[in-house]
């Protein structure tokens, strides 16, 4: 059997950070990589909160206004119950943190992720949007676990922590995301849902079948 390889580009600090603050990329080859399939492990490690960062060229008046109009639309739709999405109170009119141009942040719990992603995909216009999870590994979240809607921008990752002890929980009063009091389904309920799904898909010729073991 052939080895399975996963190639990951990691951003690391320079060899001697006292003499140089530049970063370099290193390609790591991981042999015999197997994605986890234990139900409890996967459920417990699920990402529960996300950021959408809407980018605009801050000296471009049309883009700036388009970004503000999109923010206003998201707020109106949240008010009307379309989804849960919480733009930060401020709009950054200059680069800040890892973000190289004007931007603002929208926090989204995982339960609203599909609806917000769909809306922004369809209505972003010419704006670029960085999507990343919120975990204890902020630098990895921005660099390797990210996605872009629209053309990507280079990020300055130097100020982001590699790892923190606490989860970056936001808006705990909503009791969503990492602050949710209990999971939506128990493990047994998930297994029953999965078994029922497999039974239904037996009649779909184009659907791949799950392993029996």
């Amino acid at each position: 059997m052939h080895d399975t390889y996963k190639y990951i580009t990691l951003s690391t600090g320079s060899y001697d950070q006292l003499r140089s603050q530049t970063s370099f990329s290193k390609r790591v080859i991981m042999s015999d990589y197997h994605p986890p399939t234990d139900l409890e492990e996967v459920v417990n490690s699920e990402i529960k909160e996300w950021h959408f960062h809407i980018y605009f060229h801050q000296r471009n008046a049309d883009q700036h206004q388009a970004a503000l109009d999109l923010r206003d639309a998201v707020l109106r739709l949240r008010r009307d119950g379309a989804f849960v999405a919480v733009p930060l109170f401020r709009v950054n009119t200059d680069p800040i943190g890892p973000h190289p141009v004007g931007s603002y942040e929208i926090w989204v719990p995982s339960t609203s992720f599909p609806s917000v992603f769909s809306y922004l995909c369809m209505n972003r216009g010419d704006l670029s949007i960085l999507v990343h999870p919120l975990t204890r590994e902020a630098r990895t979240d921005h660099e390797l676990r990210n996605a872009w809607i629209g053309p990507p921008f280079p990020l300055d990752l130097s100020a982001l922590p590699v790892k923190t002890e606490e989860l970056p929980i936001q808006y705990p009063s909503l009791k969503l995301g990492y602050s949710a009091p209990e999971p939506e389904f128990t493990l047994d309920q998930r297994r029953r849902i999965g078994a029922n799904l497999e039974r239904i898909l037996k009649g779909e010729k184009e659907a791949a079948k799950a392993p029996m073991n």
Side-chain angles (χ1 to χ4, degrees), residues 52-77:
F52 291 73
H53 294 275
I54 286 67
Y55 282 8
F56 58 91
H57 290 287
Q58 63 269 25
R59 305 294 178 246
N60 183 319
D62 290 338
Q63 271 206 350
H64 191 175
Q65 187 58 51
L68 294 178
D69 290 345
L70 182 60
R71 184 174 183 271
D72 182 73
V74 167
L75 286 167
R76 290 174 182 273
L77 287 166

PDB file of all heavy atoms in Angstrom, residues 52-77:
ATOM      1  N   PHE A  52     -15.657  36.517   9.509  1.00  0.00           N
ATOM      2  CA  PHE A  52     -15.631  36.979   8.128  1.00  0.00           C
ATOM      3  C   PHE A  52     -15.055  38.392   8.166  1.00  0.00           C
ATOM      4  O   PHE A  52     -15.617  39.263   8.837  1.00  0.00           O
ATOM      5  CB  PHE A  52     -17.034  37.017   7.524  1.00  0.00           C
ATOM      6  CG  PHE A  52     -17.659  35.661   7.290  1.00  0.00           C
ATOM      7  CD1 PHE A  52     -18.117  34.895   8.359  1.00  0.00           C
ATOM      8  CD2 PHE A  52     -17.799  35.159   6.008  1.00  0.00           C
ATOM      9  CE1 PHE A  52     -18.710  33.652   8.145  1.00  0.00           C
ATOM     10  CE2 PHE A  52     -18.384  33.920   5.783  1.00  0.00           C
ATOM     11  CZ  PHE A  52     -18.837  33.162   6.853  1.00  0.00           C
ATOM     12  N   HIS A  53     -13.954  38.619   7.453  1.00  0.00           N
ATOM     13  CA  HIS A  53     -13.361  39.955   7.384  1.00  0.00           C
ATOM     14  C   HIS A  53     -13.600  40.506   5.982  1.00  0.00           C
ATOM     15  O   HIS A  53     -13.090  39.965   4.997  1.00  0.00           O
ATOM     16  CB  HIS A  53     -11.863  39.915   7.683  1.00  0.00           C
ATOM     17  CG  HIS A  53     -11.537  39.515   9.096  1.00  0.00           C
ATOM     18  ND1 HIS A  53     -11.507  40.422  10.132  1.00  0.00           N
ATOM     19  CD2 HIS A  53     -11.239  38.309   9.637  1.00  0.00           C
ATOM     20  CE1 HIS A  53     -11.201  39.792  11.253  1.00  0.00           C
ATOM     21  NE2 HIS A  53     -11.037  38.512  10.982  1.00  0.00           N
ATOM     22  N   ILE A  54     -14.365  41.586   5.912  1.00  0.00           N
ATOM     23  CA  ILE A  54     -14.658  42.216   4.624  1.00  0.00           C
ATOM     24  C   ILE A  54     -13.581  43.249   4.352  1.00  0.00           C
ATOM     25  O   ILE A  54     -13.357  44.150   5.165  1.00  0.00           O
ATOM     26  CB  ILE A  54     -16.068  42.854   4.632  1.00  0.00           C
ATOM     27  CG1 ILE A  54     -17.165  41.788   4.541  1.00  0.00           C
ATOM     28  CG2 ILE A  54     -16.221  43.787   3.437  1.00  0.00           C
ATOM     29  CD1 ILE A  54     -17.321  40.867   5.676  1.00  0.00           C
ATOM     30  N   TYR A  55     -12.918  43.102   3.204  1.00  0.00           N
ATOM     31  CA  TYR A  55     -11.804  43.990   2.843  1.00  0.00           C
ATOM     32  C   TYR A  55     -12.250  45.027   1.815  1.00  0.00           C
ATOM     33  O   TYR A  55     -13.057  44.721   0.923  1.00  0.00           O
ATOM     34  CB  TYR A  55     -10.659  43.165   2.238  1.00  0.00           C
ATOM     35  CG  TYR A  55      -9.808  42.419   3.236  1.00  0.00           C
ATOM     36  CD1 TYR A  55     -10.139  42.344   4.575  1.00  0.00           C
ATOM     37  CD2 TYR A  55      -8.642  41.764   2.822  1.00  0.00           C
ATOM     38  CE1 TYR A  55      -9.343  41.659   5.484  1.00  0.00           C
ATOM     39  CE2 TYR A  55      -7.847  41.070   3.717  1.00  0.00           C
ATOM     40  CZ  TYR A  55      -8.203  41.030   5.047  1.00  0.00           C
ATOM     41  OH  TYR A  55      -7.422  40.344   5.935  1.00  0.00           O
ATOM     42  N   PHE A  56     -11.675  46.210   1.931  1.00  0.00           N
ATOM     43  CA  PHE A  56     -11.899  47.251   0.926  1.00  0.00           C
ATOM     44  C   PHE A  56     -10.659  48.142   0.879  1.00  0.00           C
ATOM     45  O   PHE A  56      -9.966  48.327   1.887  1.00  0.00           O
ATOM     46  CB  PHE A  56     -13.145  48.087   1.259  1.00  0.00           C
ATOM     47  CG  PHE A  56     -13.102  48.767   2.601  1.00  0.00           C
ATOM     48  CD1 PHE A  56     -12.600  50.057   2.740  1.00  0.00           C
ATOM     49  CD2 PHE A  56     -13.555  48.109   3.746  1.00  0.00           C
ATOM     50  CE1 PHE A  56     -12.552  50.676   3.988  1.00  0.00           C
ATOM     51  CE2 PHE A  56     -13.517  48.725   4.994  1.00  0.00           C
ATOM     52  CZ  PHE A  56     -13.021  50.008   5.120  1.00  0.00           C
ATOM     53  N   HIS A  57     -10.364  48.668  -0.299  1.00  0.00           N
ATOM     54  CA  HIS A  57      -9.260  49.627  -0.425  1.00  0.00           C
ATOM     55  C   HIS A  57      -9.728  50.946   0.183  1.00  0.00           C
ATOM     56  O   HIS A  57     -10.637  51.601  -0.337  1.00  0.00           O
ATOM     57  CB  HIS A  57      -8.861  49.796  -1.890  1.00  0.00           C
ATOM     58  CG  HIS A  57      -8.197  48.577  -2.454  1.00  0.00           C
ATOM     59  ND1 HIS A  57      -6.910  48.210  -2.122  1.00  0.00           N
ATOM     60  CD2 HIS A  57      -8.649  47.621  -3.305  1.00  0.00           C
ATOM     61  CE1 HIS A  57      -6.582  47.095  -2.760  1.00  0.00           C
ATOM     62  NE2 HIS A  57      -7.619  46.712  -3.474  1.00  0.00           N
ATOM     63  N   GLN A  58      -9.114  51.317   1.289  1.00  0.00           N
ATOM     64  CA  GLN A  58      -9.619  52.420   2.093  1.00  0.00           C
ATOM     65  C   GLN A  58      -9.566  53.771   1.386  1.00  0.00           C
ATOM     66  O   GLN A  58     -10.269  54.697   1.768  1.00  0.00           O
ATOM     67  CB  GLN A  58      -8.874  52.487   3.433  1.00  0.00           C
ATOM     68  CG  GLN A  58      -7.381  52.770   3.333  1.00  0.00           C
ATOM     69  CD  GLN A  58      -6.558  51.498   3.249  1.00  0.00           C
ATOM     70  OE1 GLN A  58      -7.054  50.466   2.824  1.00  0.00           O
ATOM     71  NE2 GLN A  58      -5.304  51.581   3.654  1.00  0.00           N
ATOM     72  N   ARG A  59      -8.734  53.901   0.351  1.00  0.00           N
ATOM     73  CA  ARG A  59      -8.674  55.161  -0.400  1.00  0.00           C
ATOM     74  C   ARG A  59      -9.621  55.147  -1.600  1.00  0.00           C
ATOM     75  O   ARG A  59      -9.685  56.110  -2.349  1.00  0.00           O
ATOM     76  CB  ARG A  59      -7.239  55.429  -0.870  1.00  0.00           C
ATOM     77  CG  ARG A  59      -6.193  55.420   0.236  1.00  0.00           C
ATOM     78  CD  ARG A  59      -6.378  56.555   1.215  1.00  0.00           C
ATOM     79  NE  ARG A  59      -5.384  56.503   2.293  1.00  0.00           N
ATOM     80  CZ  ARG A  59      -5.672  56.278   3.557  1.00  0.00           C
ATOM     81  NH1 ARG A  59      -6.922  56.101   3.929  1.00  0.00           N
ATOM     82  NH2 ARG A  59      -4.723  56.232   4.474  1.00  0.00           N
ATOM     83  N   ASN A  60     -10.323  54.037  -1.784  1.00  0.00           N
ATOM     84  CA  ASN A  60     -11.282  53.913  -2.886  1.00  0.00           C
ATOM     85  C   ASN A  60     -12.672  54.180  -2.313  1.00  0.00           C
ATOM     86  O   ASN A  60     -13.244  53.343  -1.614  1.00  0.00           O
ATOM     87  CB  ASN A  60     -11.186  52.505  -3.497  1.00  0.00           C
ATOM     88  CG  ASN A  60     -12.084  52.311  -4.687  1.00  0.00           C
ATOM     89  OD1 ASN A  60     -13.226  52.756  -4.702  1.00  0.00           O
ATOM     90  ND2 ASN A  60     -11.587  51.619  -5.702  1.00  0.00           N
ATOM     91  N   ALA A  61     -13.206  55.350  -2.624  1.00  0.00           N
ATOM     92  CA  ALA A  61     -14.474  55.766  -2.019  1.00  0.00           C
ATOM     93  C   ALA A  61     -15.618  54.819  -2.386  1.00  0.00           C
ATOM     94  O   ALA A  61     -16.488  54.530  -1.555  1.00  0.00           O
ATOM     95  CB  ALA A  61     -14.806  57.192  -2.448  1.00  0.00           C
ATOM     96  N   ASP A  62     -15.620  54.319  -3.623  1.00  0.00           N
ATOM     97  CA  ASP A  62     -16.700  53.428  -4.044  1.00  0.00           C
ATOM     98  C   ASP A  62     -16.649  52.099  -3.286  1.00  0.00           C
ATOM     99  O   ASP A  62     -17.685  51.584  -2.844  1.00  0.00           O
ATOM    100  CB  ASP A  62     -16.616  53.167  -5.550  1.00  0.00           C
ATOM    101  CG  ASP A  62     -16.972  54.401  -6.375  1.00  0.00           C
ATOM    102  OD1 ASP A  62     -17.656  55.297  -5.839  1.00  0.00           O
ATOM    103  OD2 ASP A  62     -16.575  54.470  -7.559  1.00  0.00           O
ATOM    104  N   GLN A  63     -15.438  51.541  -3.134  1.00  0.00           N
ATOM    105  CA  GLN A  63     -15.305  50.295  -2.386  1.00  0.00           C
ATOM    106  C   GLN A  63     -15.655  50.488  -0.916  1.00  0.00           C
ATOM    107  O   GLN A  63     -16.305  49.636  -0.303  1.00  0.00           O
ATOM    108  CB  GLN A  63     -13.885  49.737  -2.513  1.00  0.00           C
ATOM    109  CG  GLN A  63     -13.679  48.831  -3.694  1.00  0.00           C
ATOM    110  CD  GLN A  63     -12.537  47.848  -3.450  1.00  0.00           C
ATOM    111  OE1 GLN A  63     -11.783  47.957  -2.485  1.00  0.00           O
ATOM    112  NE2 GLN A  63     -12.420  46.881  -4.348  1.00  0.00           N
ATOM    113  N   HIS A  64     -15.209  51.599  -0.350  1.00  0.00           N
ATOM    114  CA  HIS A  64     -15.508  51.885   1.052  1.00  0.00           C
ATOM    115  C   HIS A  64     -17.019  51.930   1.263  1.00  0.00           C
ATOM    116  O   HIS A  64     -17.556  51.326   2.203  1.00  0.00           O
ATOM    117  CB  HIS A  64     -14.861  53.204   1.461  1.00  0.00           C
ATOM    118  CG  HIS A  64     -14.886  53.457   2.930  1.00  0.00           C
ATOM    119  ND1 HIS A  64     -14.266  54.534   3.516  1.00  0.00           N
ATOM    120  CD2 HIS A  64     -15.477  52.781   3.946  1.00  0.00           C
ATOM    121  CE1 HIS A  64     -14.457  54.506   4.826  1.00  0.00           C
ATOM    122  NE2 HIS A  64     -15.189  53.456   5.111  1.00  0.00           N
ATOM    123  N   GLN A  65     -17.719  52.626   0.380  1.00  0.00           N
ATOM    124  CA  GLN A  65     -19.168  52.727   0.510  1.00  0.00           C
ATOM    125  C   GLN A  65     -19.843  51.377   0.291  1.00  0.00           C
ATOM    126  O   GLN A  65     -20.803  51.030   0.994  1.00  0.00           O
ATOM    127  CB  GLN A  65     -19.722  53.752  -0.487  1.00  0.00           C
ATOM    128  CG  GLN A  65     -21.209  54.043  -0.284  1.00  0.00           C
ATOM    129  CD  GLN A  65     -21.507  54.564   1.113  1.00  0.00           C
ATOM    130  OE1 GLN A  65     -20.872  55.517   1.580  1.00  0.00           O
ATOM    131  NE2 GLN A  65     -22.470  53.945   1.797  1.00  0.00           N
ATOM    132  N   ALA A  66     -19.325  50.590  -0.668  1.00  0.00           N
ATOM    133  CA  ALA A  66     -19.893  49.259  -0.906  1.00  0.00           C
ATOM    134  C   ALA A  66     -19.749  48.374   0.333  1.00  0.00           C
ATOM    135  O   ALA A  66     -20.657  47.611   0.686  1.00  0.00           O
ATOM    136  CB  ALA A  66     -19.212  48.608  -2.114  1.00  0.00           C
ATOM    137  N   ALA A  67     -18.597  48.491   1.013  1.00  0.00           N
ATOM    138  CA  ALA A  67     -18.374  47.711   2.229  1.00  0.00           C
ATOM    139  C   ALA A  67     -19.343  48.138   3.329  1.00  0.00           C
ATOM    140  O   ALA A  67     -19.887  47.295   4.058  1.00  0.00           O
ATOM    141  CB  ALA A  67     -16.934  47.864   2.697  1.00  0.00           C
ATOM    142  N   LEU A  68     -19.572  49.427   3.459  1.00  0.00           N
ATOM    143  CA  LEU A  68     -20.509  49.923   4.471  1.00  0.00           C
ATOM    144  C   LEU A  68     -21.939  49.492   4.144  1.00  0.00           C
ATOM    145  O   LEU A  68     -22.718  49.147   5.050  1.00  0.00           O
ATOM    146  CB  LEU A  68     -20.426  51.444   4.568  1.00  0.00           C
ATOM    147  CG  LEU A  68     -19.097  52.018   5.087  1.00  0.00           C
ATOM    148  CD1 LEU A  68     -19.147  53.543   5.077  1.00  0.00           C
ATOM    149  CD2 LEU A  68     -18.777  51.499   6.476  1.00  0.00           C
ATOM    150  N   ASP A  69     -22.300  49.508   2.865  1.00  0.00           N
ATOM    151  CA  ASP A  69     -23.646  49.077   2.460  1.00  0.00           C
ATOM    152  C   ASP A  69     -23.858  47.599   2.767  1.00  0.00           C
ATOM    153  O   ASP A  69     -24.945  47.192   3.223  1.00  0.00           O
ATOM    154  CB  ASP A  69     -23.852  49.327   0.965  1.00  0.00           C
ATOM    155  CG  ASP A  69     -23.952  50.806   0.628  1.00  0.00           C
ATOM    156  OD1 ASP A  69     -24.146  51.625   1.546  1.00  0.00           O
ATOM    157  OD2 ASP A  69     -23.828  51.139  -0.577  1.00  0.00           O
ATOM    158  N   LEU A  70     -22.829  46.782   2.537  1.00  0.00           N
ATOM    159  CA  LEU A  70     -22.930  45.355   2.831  1.00  0.00           C
ATOM    160  C   LEU A  70     -23.072  45.142   4.342  1.00  0.00           C
ATOM    161  O   LEU A  70     -23.866  44.300   4.786  1.00  0.00           O
ATOM    162  CB  LEU A  70     -21.697  44.618   2.298  1.00  0.00           C
ATOM    163  CG  LEU A  70     -21.674  43.108   2.479  1.00  0.00           C
ATOM    164  CD1 LEU A  70     -22.854  42.448   1.772  1.00  0.00           C
ATOM    165  CD2 LEU A  70     -20.355  42.528   1.958  1.00  0.00           C
ATOM    166  N   ARG A  71     -22.325  45.891   5.119  1.00  0.00           N
ATOM    167  CA  ARG A  71     -22.416  45.790   6.579  1.00  0.00           C
ATOM    168  C   ARG A  71     -23.824  46.155   7.043  1.00  0.00           C
ATOM    169  O   ARG A  71     -24.405  45.469   7.903  1.00  0.00           O
ATOM    170  CB  ARG A  71     -21.376  46.714   7.220  1.00  0.00           C
ATOM    171  CG  ARG A  71     -21.277  46.658   8.736  1.00  0.00           C
ATOM    172  CD  ARG A  71     -20.102  47.519   9.189  1.00  0.00           C
ATOM    173  NE  ARG A  71     -19.903  47.456  10.634  1.00  0.00           N
ATOM    174  CZ  ARG A  71     -20.490  48.255  11.514  1.00  0.00           C
ATOM    175  NH1 ARG A  71     -21.331  49.196  11.083  1.00  0.00           N
ATOM    176  NH2 ARG A  71     -20.234  48.133  12.803  1.00  0.00           N
ATOM    177  N   ASP A  72     -24.376  47.217   6.502  1.00  0.00           N
ATOM    178  CA  ASP A  72     -25.723  47.635   6.868  1.00  0.00           C
ATOM    179  C   ASP A  72     -26.749  46.559   6.503  1.00  0.00           C
ATOM    180  O   ASP A  72     -27.674  46.280   7.272  1.00  0.00           O
ATOM    181  CB  ASP A  72     -26.070  48.947   6.163  1.00  0.00           C
ATOM    182  CG  ASP A  72     -27.442  49.465   6.530  1.00  0.00           C
ATOM    183  OD1 ASP A  72     -27.600  49.956   7.666  1.00  0.00           O
ATOM    184  OD2 ASP A  72     -28.366  49.381   5.686  1.00  0.00           O
ATOM    185  N   ALA A  73     -26.567  45.929   5.326  1.00  0.00           N
ATOM    186  CA  ALA A  73     -27.489  44.867   4.903  1.00  0.00           C
ATOM    187  C   ALA A  73     -27.432  43.676   5.858  1.00  0.00           C
ATOM    188  O   ALA A  73     -28.467  43.094   6.202  1.00  0.00           O
ATOM    189  CB  ALA A  73     -27.148  44.431   3.475  1.00  0.00           C
ATOM    190  N   VAL A  74     -26.221  43.298   6.281  1.00  0.00           N
ATOM    191  CA  VAL A  74     -26.071  42.187   7.223  1.00  0.00           C
ATOM    192  C   VAL A  74     -26.774  42.507   8.538  1.00  0.00           C
ATOM    193  O   VAL A  74     -27.471  41.655   9.109  1.00  0.00           O
ATOM    194  CB  VAL A  74     -24.578  41.873   7.460  1.00  0.00           C
ATOM    195  CG1 VAL A  74     -24.387  40.948   8.649  1.00  0.00           C
ATOM    196  CG2 VAL A  74     -23.966  41.259   6.198  1.00  0.00           C
ATOM    197  N   LEU A  75     -26.623  43.733   9.015  1.00  0.00           N
ATOM    198  CA  LEU A  75     -27.274  44.123  10.267  1.00  0.00           C
ATOM    199  C   LEU A  75     -28.796  44.098  10.140  1.00  0.00           C
ATOM    200  O   LEU A  75     -29.508  43.650  11.053  1.00  0.00           O
ATOM    201  CB  LEU A  75     -26.802  45.519  10.674  1.00  0.00           C
ATOM    202  CG  LEU A  75     -25.369  45.593  11.219  1.00  0.00           C
ATOM    203  CD1 LEU A  75     -24.907  47.049  11.296  1.00  0.00           C
ATOM    204  CD2 LEU A  75     -25.279  44.939  12.589  1.00  0.00           C
ATOM    205  N   ARG A  76     -29.301  44.547   9.010  1.00  0.00           N
ATOM    206  CA  ARG A  76     -30.748  44.544   8.798  1.00  0.00           C
ATOM    207  C   ARG A  76     -31.284  43.109   8.749  1.00  0.00           C
ATOM    208  O   ARG A  76     -32.349  42.805   9.307  1.00  0.00           O
ATOM    209  CB  ARG A  76     -31.100  45.289   7.517  1.00  0.00           C
ATOM    210  CG  ARG A  76     -30.890  46.795   7.601  1.00  0.00           C
ATOM    211  CD  ARG A  76     -31.108  47.480   6.254  1.00  0.00           C
ATOM    212  NE  ARG A  76     -30.864  48.906   6.350  1.00  0.00           N
ATOM    213  CZ  ARG A  76     -31.783  49.805   6.707  1.00  0.00           C
ATOM    214  NH1 ARG A  76     -33.011  49.398   7.023  1.00  0.00           N
ATOM    215  NH2 ARG A  76     -31.488  51.093   6.763  1.00  0.00           N
ATOM    216  N   LEU A  77     -30.548  42.231   8.064  1.00  0.00           N
ATOM    217  CA  LEU A  77     -30.986  40.844   7.955  1.00  0.00           C
ATOM    218  C   LEU A  77     -30.900  40.121   9.291  1.00  0.00           C
ATOM    219  O   LEU A  77     -31.736  39.268   9.602  1.00  0.00           O
ATOM    220  CB  LEU A  77     -30.157  40.124   6.890  1.00  0.00           C
ATOM    221  CG  LEU A  77     -30.489  40.530   5.452  1.00  0.00           C
ATOM    222  CD1 LEU A  77     -29.422  40.054   4.486  1.00  0.00           C
ATOM    223  CD2 LEU A  77     -31.858  39.960   5.057  1.00  0.00           C
TER     224      LEU A  77
END
